[in-house]
Amino acid sequence: MAGWSARLMPLLVIAAVFGGVPVTCRRFGEPAGLSLHRKAADWLKQMLPGSRDSDGKEAQQPEFPLQRSDLLVVLPSSLSRLDLVYSSRAYRQGVPTFIVTDKLPFKEQEFAWLGSERWGITYRQPTDSYERRAAIAPFLANNTVGYDSYKWILYGDDDTVFVIDNIIKVLSTLDFSQPYLISDALWWPENGKSDRKKIHANRDAPRCLPCNYTDLLLVDGTCPAQHGFIAPEGCPCTPETLVSQGMWSGGDQVVFDRNNKKFLRQGGPTPGWWYMIHGGAGALISQGAMRQASFEAVEDYLVNRMPVRSSDAMLTEVMWEVLRVAPTDPGYGYCRPHIQMFDPGWSGEQRRFGDLGGDPRGVIERLTAALEHDSCGAECHEQLQHTLTIHVRARSAGSDKTTANSTRLHPWHTACNEIEQLGVLFDQYQQGYSNHNRAEGDIEGVLEQSDCGC
Ligand SMILES: *[C@@H]1O[C@H](CO)[C@@H](O)[C@H](O)[C@H]1NC(C)=O
Ligand SMILES: *[C@@H]1O[C@H](CO)[C@@H](O)[C@H](O)[C@H]1NC(C)=O
Ligand SMILES: *[C@@H]1O[C@H](CO)[C@@H](O)[C@H](O)[C@H]1NC(C)=O
């Protein structure tokens, strides 16, 4: 608890009082597909990847071992969307969480979770822009809890599902004291198009690979040369690291102003407008990044020096300009066109256009299939093992497919149900997977016992 701001003391007192209350999951109907079959054990045996992954890292001991309590989930939300926050408890078990809302909720059900949830102080006025609140959320969280209280911030929207076990696997190879902003779901203009055609995830977007990253495909020269930007190693990844990489081929009207170290689009919007992380897909921010500048400097930049834009653009620009941290790709998908680690779309063409990328129902279907029958396939399992986040897209969750048709329906209950299902199903999937690696042949019992765990 050391390091938590005195401003939160009243809440911590309440947390102590309610500390013994059993946690209950809010339910929106029983998630489908939770019954586990013996067949699940069979595919786990068959798909055994051996003791190492194709990047050669699996066999090593993690260099920077991590626990759930080393992470800090930061969720910007608002009172009208709190059901989404409650739903994400299904995947946030044991992970400290900082929620930034327009007002602090004071209802009994919140307090049961205060042992691991902190509610952020409203940023300025309730009427202040959601975009600014979301952009400042990770900094507000860091400044409130202190950077000694966490190693990595998991930053996303309130409808982002973090696959905690996969994230821990990836982050255990990275030094949290280095400055990192990690994502492989970056916005960048489609080559030759106006900025209205910016897309995510765009593999041409400038990014580094992690410091000391090793991938057998890079070593043996079989990494497909499919990128408009060849990612340098970032030790750390600064704006200068990317500039020194030379020409930018993603978006032919994009130029880089070397004197001011800013991206410029001729006659176009300000930097950050079209080169940014995607908040829905989420990003991982290291403690080392937060040590790069003070909260005051960040706040001054966000409040006084830049207009309110999308929170994704604001966050990326403040990381670039004030913290001097540029995006890093976690790496595994860099040489594997079929793998997208942050918010995989599953249907290739969908993620080409604007915001229509993710297909959370598709992920649920694949997880269910993987658990109930072995109809997931090797590539599907590879993606499930490397998926770090899924953006549920609450705005369009009412539709089977993510289509623009349904964006105005706001069916929160559907989105909440999907968040819960993804959290629970991923847990079960990973539990079976890691148990299989631990003790081959002994997983049926584990799979049959496993339950929601809420
Ligand atoms: C992070 O939190 C610390 C308090 O522990 C604070 O001193 C620092 O200014 C914060 N950094 C940023 C970038 O907000
Ligand atoms: C990279 O590897 C070198 C040599 O093993 C090591 O000294 C250095 O600390 C590593 N850097 C990071 C950021 O992991
Ligand atoms: C979207 O709505 C229009 C008008 O109701 C309909 O014609 C079209 O088929 C819908 N598209 C999809 C993909 O559902």
Side-chain angles (χ1 to χ4, degrees):
M1 290 274 166
W4 291 92
S5 161
R7 280 183 285 178
L8 289 181
M9 273 316 287
L11 298 186
L12 295 179
V13 170
I14 295 165
V17 171
F18 284 84
V21 176
V23 165
T24 52
C25 241
R26 251 171 84 106
R27 290 248 151 261
F28 297 90
E30 202 53 37
L34 292 187
S35 61
L36 293 165
H37 294 206
R38 275 178 184 276
K39 280 181 188 168
D42 296 336
W43 71 251
L44 281 168
K45 281 177 193 158
Q46 284 161 19
M47 64 163 293
L48 177 70
S51 58
R52 76 190 225 169
D53 219 333
S54 50
D55 58 2
K57 286 216 162 176
E58 220 77 349
Q60 299 167 12
Q61 283 296 101
E63 253 181 295
F64 302 94
L66 282 178
Q67 300 181 329
R68 290 187 161 226
S69 56
D70 295 323
L71 310 175
L72 178 65
V73 169
V74 174
L75 299 177
S77 190
S78 58
L79 286 196
S80 62
R81 291 167 63 105
L82 283 187
D83 279 352
L84 294 169
V85 173
Y86 303 140
S87 303
S88 64
R89 289 170 177 172
Y91 74 75
R92 288 191 282 112
Q93 318 248 338
V95 184
T97 301
F98 194 91
I99 299 143
V100 182
T101 62
D102 43 354
K103 288 183 197 141
L104 285 179
F106 286 104
K107 286 187 291 171
E108 201 179 310
Q109 58 182 331
E110 274 76 282
F111 297 138
W113 263 71
L114 274 175
S116 63
E117 277 177 358
R118 272 79 182 169
W119 293 82
I121 287 98
T122 302
Y123 189 66
R124 298 182 163 247
Q125 304 303 314
T127 52
D128 195 12
S129 129
Y130 168 80
E131 303 297 342
R132 182 144 60 201
R133 190 187 325 140
I136 207 157
F139 305 101
L140 192 61
N142 159 75
N143 199 46
T144 307
V145 309
Y147 33 47
D148 291 329
S149 303
Y150 68 92
K151 292 178 178 167
W152 290 91
I153 285 176
L154 280 47
Y155 173 72
D157 285 349
D158 51 10
D159 55 353
T160 303
V161 174
F162 292 99
V163 184
I164 302 292
D165 290 337
N166 288 355
I167 287 173
I168 285 180
K169 205 166 85 178
V170 167
L171 293 184
S172 297
T173 65
L174 301 178
D175 183 354
F176 63 85
S177 69
Q178 291 286 311
Y180 275 119
L181 168 65
I182 296 181
S183 173
D184 67 354
L186 301 168
W187 288 95
W188 185 251
E190 194 165 15
N191 202 4
K193 301 285 171 59
S194 78
D195 77 315
R196 295 188 72 79
K197 287 282 184 194
K198 63 184 184 293
I199 56 171
H200 75 97
N202 189 337
R203 290 185 176 235
D204 289 339
R207 85 278 304 272
C208 296
L209 287 171
C211 189
N212 288 347
Y213 183 72
T214 53
D215 186 324
L216 295 181
L217 299 187
L218 279 172
V219 175
D220 70 10
T222 54
C223 183
Q226 40 139 358
H227 305 279
F229 181 86
I230 305 301
E233 189 182 7
C235 290
C237 187
T238 64
E240 290 75 17
T241 316
L242 296 183
V243 177
S244 67
Q245 195 63 8
M247 292 302 296
W248 309 83
S249 61
D252 55 6
Q253 296 161 23
V254 174
V255 294
F256 194 85
D257 174 350
R258 283 167 191 274
N259 293 330
N260 294 311
K261 300 213 171 13
K262 282 185 178 230
F263 295 101
L264 300 174
R265 203 179 151 268
Q266 286 159 349
T270 44
W273 182 250
W274 38 261
Y275 173 45
M276 55 206 174
I277 61 136
H278 185 242
L284 309 174
I285 304 173
S286 67
Q287 183 202 98
M290 286 295 171
R291 290 181 181 270
Q292 292 287 105
S294 70
F295 180 73
E296 289 70 29
V298 165
E299 187 181 39
D300 175 57
Y301 193 88
L302 283 174
V303 175
N304 301 321
R305 291 171 198 269
M306 79 186 297
V308 170
R309 297 205 296 270
S310 84
S311 54
D312 301 352
M314 294 179 85
L315 177 71
T316 308
E317 184 175 328
V318 83
M319 296 287 299
W320 180 280
E321 293 291 339
V322 182
L323 281 73
R324 309 301 294 163
V325 179
T328 292
D329 188 309
Y332 190 81
Y334 183 73
C335 298
R336 295 168 185 80
H338 58 288
I339 300 289
Q340 170 74 32
M341 298 180 82
F342 287 76
D343 194 25
W346 297 103
S347 340
E349 77 281 3
Q350 275 189 357
R351 70 169 174 256
R352 304 276 304 155
F353 300 105
D355 207 25
L356 304 183
D359 179 11
R361 287 241 66 102
V363 181
I364 290 171
E365 280 156 22
R366 280 165 177 85
L367 276 163
T368 307
L371 286 164
E372 291 192 341
H373 336 278
D374 183 20
S375 57
C376 180
E379 195 170 292
C380 165
H381 283 304
E382 187 186 12
Q383 176 67 67
L384 289 177
Q385 287 302 316
H386 292 90
T387 295
L388 303 185
T389 66
I390 305 287
H391 186 201
V392 166
R393 285 166 172 73
R395 275 182 305 175
S396 45
S399 165
D400 279 345
K401 300 268 176 267
T402 309
T403 65
N405 270 17
S406 54
T407 53
R408 281 168 295 279
L409 293 180
H410 293 276
W412 298 128
H413 61 283
T414 311
C416 293
N417 208 9
E418 287 182 358
I419 290 171
E420 286 194 356
Q421 280 189 57
L422 280 165
V424 172
L425 288 170
F426 257 113
D427 265 5
Q428 294 186 339
Y429 176 80
Q430 294 294 20
Q431 192 182 356
Y433 188 83
S434 62
N435 268 296
H436 177 61
N437 281 345
R438 244 199 319 275
E440 192 180 345
D442 187 30
I443 69 163
E444 285 92 341
V446 176
L447 284 172
E448 274 159 13
Q449 282 162 25
S450 66
D451 198 356
C452 167
C454 296

